[in-house]
Amino acid sequence: MKSLFKSKPKSPADVVRQTRILLVSLNGSGELRGAKRDEKMEELFKHIRELKVILYGSSESEPVSDACAQLTQEFFKENTLNLLIEFLPKLSLEARKDATQVVANLQRQQVQCRILASAYLEANLNLIDILASGYEVPDLALHYGSMLRECIRHQSVARYVLESEHLIKFFNYIQLPNFDIAADAMATFKELLTRHKSTVAGFLSKNYDWFFQEFNSKLLESESYITKRQAIKLLGDMLLERSNSSVMVRYVSSKDNLRILMNLLRESSKKIQMDAFHVFKLFAANQNKPPEIVNIFIANRSKLLQFLADLKMDRDEQFEEDKTHVVKEIAELKQVGSQVTGIEKCKA
């Protein structure tokens, strides 16, 4: 007879509604205190875990698309996402992890071929301000960073961050002493500058001067090996992207940029040398080299050719092909105008 009195299972929409009620109640004016508040917090943790199971499934079952759609629709019907993100600092570590996964998953959920999260975030960009500033709060940085990267999947959100005051702060976040937070900030920075090609191309063209001044001085010329290595790899990814071709031509026409790349080639790290070579080759391949670039190559030709002869990568035919082309370009250059002498002239 016991089965007759079983409570009716909650629908995904019910779980969202009850989560929202709890968040409003717990975020109120302090009416809940002591044991009563602890009880409500425990209930909230269970609901967040339940949301995660619906979206991700469990060890025993796969997620059900209809249930995910119901949950998503209810989640964005009101301000549940806003409430959850704002309440994150008050959650336990495990609950934060679950909440982070819920928010991340919701960025991909479609309801009738529409991603509801995109329109919601576009109308609630204050949430992106919270997430982007999260790197300043060590206990929350990794959670907010993970959420932010998923939100950047939406082009309108990525454009907002690129054009906001948040972007310049990433040059400092990437160099934070906490390795995990710095690495997470770099992952978000890379996502911002590589995911949405047309948006990134427009941003770099419009903000070329200040952006590359910061990128060069704070990242490529950083004292940190990790920062330099990640930055030169990212620079190569950006400049080799076809949509950034005009930015690439502008970058490789600068003698100051060439100086930085030549110094990176002199690094003791083989990995930095190799990534620097993939950018350096763009300077050599430029068929419209400014006179000052040509003269730097000529002044340092013998040392560059010797360096390239010694630079090797095991079993990489493409690298050898690229290197042969670079050597040919440098060897055939003819002097133009005034001359710069010695590779020392290219040192920082």
Side-chain angles (χ1 to χ4, degrees):
M1 294 294 290
K2 202 181 255 189
S3 61
L4 294 174
F5 300 99
K6 281 184 179 177
S7 59
K8 182 181 176 183
K10 296 190 292 288
S11 71
D14 288 336
V15 179
V16 176
R17 280 192 287 269
Q18 290 176 19
T19 301
R20 184 163 59 236
I21 290 168
L22 285 165
L23 286 167
V24 170
S25 174
L26 287 162
N27 213 23
S29 57
E31 297 154 2
L32 291 173
R33 297 180 183 279
K36 186 67 174 175
R37 182 176 178 81
D38 292 342
E39 182 183 323
K40 291 290 185 183
M41 286 291 279
E42 188 61 36
E43 194 178 342
L44 175 62
F45 298 163
K46 289 178 181 177
H47 278 74
I48 294 173
R49 174 59 58 90
E50 203 169 341
L51 292 172
K52 176 186 166 184
V53 171
I54 294 169
L55 291 169
Y56 287 91
S58 67
S59 58
E60 300 170 358
S61 62
E62 294 291 319
V64 177
S65 57
D66 284 349
C68 291
Q70 288 177 42
L71 186 156
T72 304
Q73 201 157 14
E74 182 64 34
F75 215 95
F76 292 111
K77 188 180 292 183
E78 295 189 42
N79 64 338
T80 311
L81 183 64
N82 201 322
L83 288 166
L84 185 57
I85 289 176
E86 290 183 347
F87 198 77
L88 199 75
K90 299 176 184 177
L91 296 176
S92 68
L93 179 59
E94 286 305 311
R96 284 179 193 172
K97 290 178 181 177
D98 288 343
T100 298
Q101 289 182 282
V102 168
V103 172
N105 188 289
L106 285 168
Q107 306 313 310
R108 308 175 186 219
Q109 290 291 338
Q110 293 190 27
V111 178
Q112 297 177 347
C113 300
R114 290 173 55 237
I115 298 180
L116 302 185
S118 180
Y120 180 89
L121 288 172
E122 200 166 347
N124 294 273
L125 289 170
N126 63 298
L127 294 180
I128 303 304
D129 294 332
I130 293 172
L131 299 181
S133 300
Y135 287 111
E136 297 169 16
V137 187
D139 290 345
L140 300 170
L142 300 183
H143 303 293
Y144 281 151
S146 180
M147 291 181 188
L148 182 59
R149 279 192 298 282
E150 288 298 325
C151 293
I152 289 167
R153 296 171 65 86
H154 314 306
Q155 193 161 8
S156 59
V157 173
R159 184 182 297 111
Y160 173 75
V161 179
L162 285 170
E163 294 175 353
S164 74
E165 63 183 17
H166 297 300
L167 187 72
I168 197 166
K169 295 179 182 178
F170 273 89
F171 291 104
N172 295 323
Y173 297 155
I174 288 165
Q175 300 182 83
L176 287 170
N178 183 307
F179 175 81
D180 290 335
I181 296 176
D184 196 273
M186 175 56 90
T188 304
F189 189 63
K190 180 179 179 181
E191 187 77 0
L192 279 166
L193 292 164
T194 56
R195 175 172 279 276
H196 302 287
K197 313 301 184 189
S198 60
T199 296
V200 172
F203 166 78
L204 291 176
S205 295
K206 183 179 176 182
N207 298 276
Y208 178 92
D209 289 329
W210 77 260
F211 178 84
F212 282 108
Q213 181 180 351
E214 291 287 308
F215 195 98
N216 289 350
S217 63
K218 291 189 176 176
L219 305 185
L220 292 182
E221 296 183 305
S222 169
E223 294 297 318
S224 164
Y225 161 77
I226 294 293
T227 299
K228 277 192 287 196
R229 182 180 166 189
Q230 292 177 322
I232 189 60
K233 179 71 169 62
L234 175 56
L235 178 63
D237 291 342
M238 288 192 294
L239 297 184
L240 288 166
E241 171 55 48
R242 185 175 300 178
S243 59
N244 294 333
S245 58
S246 61
V247 172
M248 183 269 287
V249 169
R250 188 172 175 183
Y251 192 89
V252 302
S253 297
S254 163
K255 66 178 182 180
D256 291 330
N257 294 341
L258 178 57
R259 170 186 59 80
I260 292 170
L261 264 296
M262 290 175 74
N263 284 334
L264 287 170
L265 285 174
R266 293 155 57 93
E267 287 281 332
S268 58
S269 164
K270 195 77 169 176
K271 292 185 181 296
I272 289 180
Q273 283 185 347
M274 287 300 176
D275 286 329
F277 170 79
H278 289 302
V279 178
F280 176 78
K281 70 185 181 185
L282 301 176
F283 287 86
N286 182 10
Q287 295 305 300
N288 296 300
K289 299 178 187 69
E292 58 267 29
I293 297 288
V294 173
N295 292 338
I296 289 173
F297 276 133
I298 291 174
N300 297 284
R301 177 153 46 199
S302 60
K303 291 181 179 179
L304 282 170
L305 295 180
Q306 182 59 56
F307 170 82
L308 291 169
D310 295 337
L311 187 64
K312 299 187 186 305
M313 184 181 286
D314 294 340
R315 297 183 294 279
D316 191 324
E317 293 181 8
Q318 183 61 55
F319 168 73
E320 290 300 329
E321 186 179 322
D322 289 345
K323 191 171 78 167
T324 299
H325 181 72
V326 170
V327 167
K328 183 174 182 294
E329 285 287 338
I330 294 174
E332 294 179 354
L333 285 173
K334 295 181 179 179
Q335 185 68 49
V336 180
S338 61
Q339 185 173 356
V340 179
T341 58
I343 198 166
E344 290 75 21
K345 296 290 185 180
C346 296
K347 289 178 68 176

